[in-house]
Amino acid sequence: MSNIHNLHGVAHGGAKIIDSLAPLPESKNPVVAFILGLAFGALGVAIYFKSAKDFFICFGLFVAASILLPGLGLVLGWGFAPVYGAYRAHSSNEQLGL
């Protein structure tokens, strides 16, 4: 159970980082970000957003989940990238007033 608690702490810390990010320079489609994140993980999100910071956030959580929850963490970590991409695109568009 302590590994799940640790993963929750990592996710909570990641949410704080995401909320503190500046908006993307231009409008992005959340559906496209989701699909690229699902297909290519953190790399797909980073290429679509043209942002190394977004890559390291997705990849960092993937690695943390893989270490804290062997086996299951791989699936959770990979599943984070599309959700992150869609959320980041949506929240960035809102900050831009679109």
Side-chain angles (χ1 to χ4, degrees), residues 3-55:
N3 284 346
I4 292 174
H5 180 70
N6 290 340
L7 186 60
H8 179 267
V10 170
H12 184 67
K16 287 183 180 180
I17 293 171
I18 294 168
D19 290 339
S20 71
L21 293 174
L24 298 166
E26 57 189 27
S27 173
K28 297 292 182 180
N29 187 332
V31 175
V32 173
F34 182 87
I35 292 170
L36 288 173
L38 189 62
F40 302 106
L43 187 59
V45 171
I47 290 172
Y48 184 58
F49 292 158
K50 300 176 187 162
S51 168
K53 186 181 282 187
D54 290 304
F55 171 78

Side-chain angles (χ1 to χ4, degrees), residues 32-91:
V32 173
F34 182 87
I35 292 170
L36 288 173
L38 189 62
F40 302 106
L43 187 59
V45 171
I47 290 172
Y48 184 58
F49 292 158
K50 300 176 187 162
S51 168
K53 186 181 282 187
D54 290 304
F55 171 78
F56 286 114
I57 291 171
C58 287
F59 189 70
L61 189 69
F62 173 76
V63 170
S66 299
I67 292 170
L68 295 173
L69 297 170
L72 180 63
L74 292 171
V75 175
L76 293 174
W78 192 270
F80 174 74
V83 173
Y84 170 81
Y87 175 76
R88 173 87 162 108
H90 174 73
S91 66

